[in-house]
Amino acid sequence: MPINFEKRSTSKGTDRKVHPCEIYDTLDRHANKGPLRVPVQNTVLDNWFVDYKDQRDVILKLPTGEGKTLIGLLILQSKIHQKKGSSLYICPNKYLADQVRTQADEFGIHHCAINESGLPEDFVNGEKILITHAQMIFNGRSTNFGIGQDSIVIENILLDDAHSCIETIKTASKFQIPRSSDCYHELLQLFGEALQSQGAGTYADICNESKNAILAVPYWEWEGKQAEVVQILSNYNRRRDKSVWFVWDLLKDNLINCIAVFSGAGIEISPRLLPMEMFGAFHSASHRVFMSATISNDSFFIRDLGLTKEVIENPLEKNGQGKKWY
């Protein structure tokens, strides 16, 4: 697909380019980093700038090896040059965050990281991209990004490998209380009769510490004993039991909409829907880009991230045209 260079524009009254392809041409990159890959990176970046940059949510789909990382960095750098506020690049884990930082250095893209003092001023002031990993922002005790009404404001967020990041969010959004915790035994005592009525043999295996024995608390029992559940969990949150404390603020007002599953090894209490609104920095961002190499099942975009059908039906792809999703 030919690039329409006439649609590319630069910021008025300044030498700073705002089109990501033109930004790339100005970077002080390593000698072995040549021009953008044509037509993939040029086409995707041009289409983003012309048709997607003002959308709130954008799904960017490219197969592995097509240079998604550089595309993502240039999108955020464009937002910085447009003076559109702070820009955050989120990776699934620390290892991948280090890889992205290395690539950013190789291409001459200025970036920063969370330090002992917290969030760097260059990030807060919208001057550099902050590269971090999902566990830093998606947790119930995020001191840097906050949760709920205490969340900070971030204008631009890019979620790299969105499928993997979702798994991190799911883990961070559920209680995983081991059998070694007294909290487990209090909850088992509370629901023991109901569990036994569901399966006497399986319940006996749970009591005998069989890891393969699993029983879910019936929803009517869970709803009927909410006061007791809240009191037990609140008590262990006060004691700073790690299996409760890190999740408590995310779910404490929505426990009735959770599912509780016992095994001989512990209990998991997870929400039916992820509490994305509690991660306010992410939930309220003005521009969110979700990068993905998977093209088969995108239902998680709706179910877990709350994206609209229109966004899913019109992803940004290397052919420049979104494919219908059903």
Side-chain angles (χ1 to χ4, degrees):
M1 177 178 178
I3 308 300
N4 186 350
F5 287 93
E6 291 182 359
K7 292 183 179 179
R8 297 183 176 179
S9 61
T10 58
S11 56
K12 297 179 179 179
T14 177
D15 292 330
R16 294 215 305 181
K17 308 296 184 181
V18 296
H19 192 294
C21 294
E22 294 179 344
I23 291 173
Y24 183 80
D25 293 337
T26 69
L27 297 176
D28 183 20
R29 55 187 186 271
H30 288 188
N32 64 335
K33 299 300 178 182
L36 289 170
R37 300 177 190 176
V38 180
V40 176
Q41 290 175 321
N42 274 287
T43 300
V44 169
L45 288 169
D46 194 64
N47 286 329
W48 171 81
F49 188 78
V50 174
D51 297 322
Y52 290 84
K53 75 176 186 299
D54 296 322
Q55 285 186 198
R56 184 179 181 230
D57 292 325
V58 179
I59 297 174
L60 170 56
K61 288 186 176 182
L62 278 178
T64 301
E66 296 284 5
K68 287 194 300 296
T69 299
L70 177 57
I71 289 173
L73 288 168
L74 287 171
I75 284 174
L76 293 181
Q77 192 64 45
S78 174
K79 286 293 185 179
I80 289 176
H81 283 201
Q82 294 174 59
K83 299 187 181 301
K84 295 294 185 180
S86 52
S87 294
L88 177 66
Y89 193 115
I90 305 174
C91 300
N93 53 55
K94 292 180 181 179
Y95 173 73
L96 291 176
D98 287 339
Q99 284 190 333
V100 172
R101 292 187 188 103
T102 298
Q103 288 196 44
D105 288 336
E106 291 175 346
F107 286 108
I109 295 175
H110 299 297
H111 61 92
C112 54
I114 298 171
N115 52 47
E116 294 180 356
S117 301
L119 298 176
E121 287 188 14
D122 287 341
F123 162 69
V124 175
N125 296 333
E127 297 170 356
K128 289 184 181 179
I129 300 168
L130 175 64
I131 301 172
T132 188
H133 56 94
Q135 290 178 334
M136 294 299 292
I137 184 170
F138 299 113
N139 74 77
R141 295 289 172 179
S142 178
T143 56
N144 291 302
F145 299 98
I147 65 168
Q149 294 182 348
D150 295 326
S151 300
I152 68 168
V153 175
I154 300 176
E155 283 78 9
N156 310 291
I157 289 181
L158 185 141
L159 206 62
D160 193 354
D161 192 356
H163 291 76
S164 296
C165 286
I166 280 294
E167 294 307 311
T168 298
I169 298 171
K170 286 181 178 179
T171 299
S173 300
K174 64 182 176 183
F175 296 104
Q176 294 178 293
I177 303 170
R179 188 183 186 94
S180 58
S181 171
D182 290 339
C183 182
Y184 169 89
H185 295 284
E186 287 192 34
L187 290 170
L188 183 61
Q189 183 177 7
L190 179 65
F191 292 108
E193 185 176 341
L195 293 172
Q196 191 171 25
S197 68
Q198 294 292 302
T202 303
Y203 176 70
D205 287 343
I206 288 174
C207 293
N208 289 323
E209 303 186 36
S210 172
K211 295 180 180 180
N212 296 324
I214 298 173
L215 280 176
V217 176
Y219 74 87
W220 58 89
E221 287 286 339
W222 181 255
E223 292 179 358
K225 294 182 178 179
Q226 275 299 289
E228 294 95 327
V229 170
V230 170
Q231 187 57 48
I232 290 172
L233 293 176
S234 177
N235 183 37
Y236 283 90
N237 173 66
R238 181 178 56 82
R239 298 184 192 180
R240 298 235 174 161
D241 183 305
K242 290 183 179 180
S243 61
V244 177
W245 188 70
F246 279 104
V247 188
W248 174 248
D249 284 347
L250 291 177
L251 299 182
K252 65 181 180 182
D253 294 327
N254 196 35
L255 284 168
I256 196 169
N257 292 315
C258 291
I259 300 170
V261 179
F262 279 90
S263 75
I267 177 176
E268 285 193 1
I269 303 172
S270 55
R272 290 184 173 88
L273 294 175
L274 292 179
M276 299 305 298
E277 70 284 353
M278 295 299 294
F279 304 115
F282 174 83
H283 187 68
S284 301
S286 302
H287 187 64
R288 305 186 300 183
V289 178
F290 305 87
M291 295 206 301
S292 172
T294 303
I295 60 174
S296 55
N297 183 9
D298 289 341
S299 60
F300 84 99
F301 280 124
I302 290 180
R303 182 186 65 248
D304 297 323
L305 295 178
L307 302 191
T308 66
K309 182 181 178 183
E310 181 181 4
V311 169
I312 295 172
E313 287 181 339
N314 296 280
L316 175 57
E317 298 177 295
K318 66 178 180 180
N319 61 7
Q321 185 176 0
K323 296 179 180 179
K324 291 293 183 182
W325 173 91
Y326 300 96

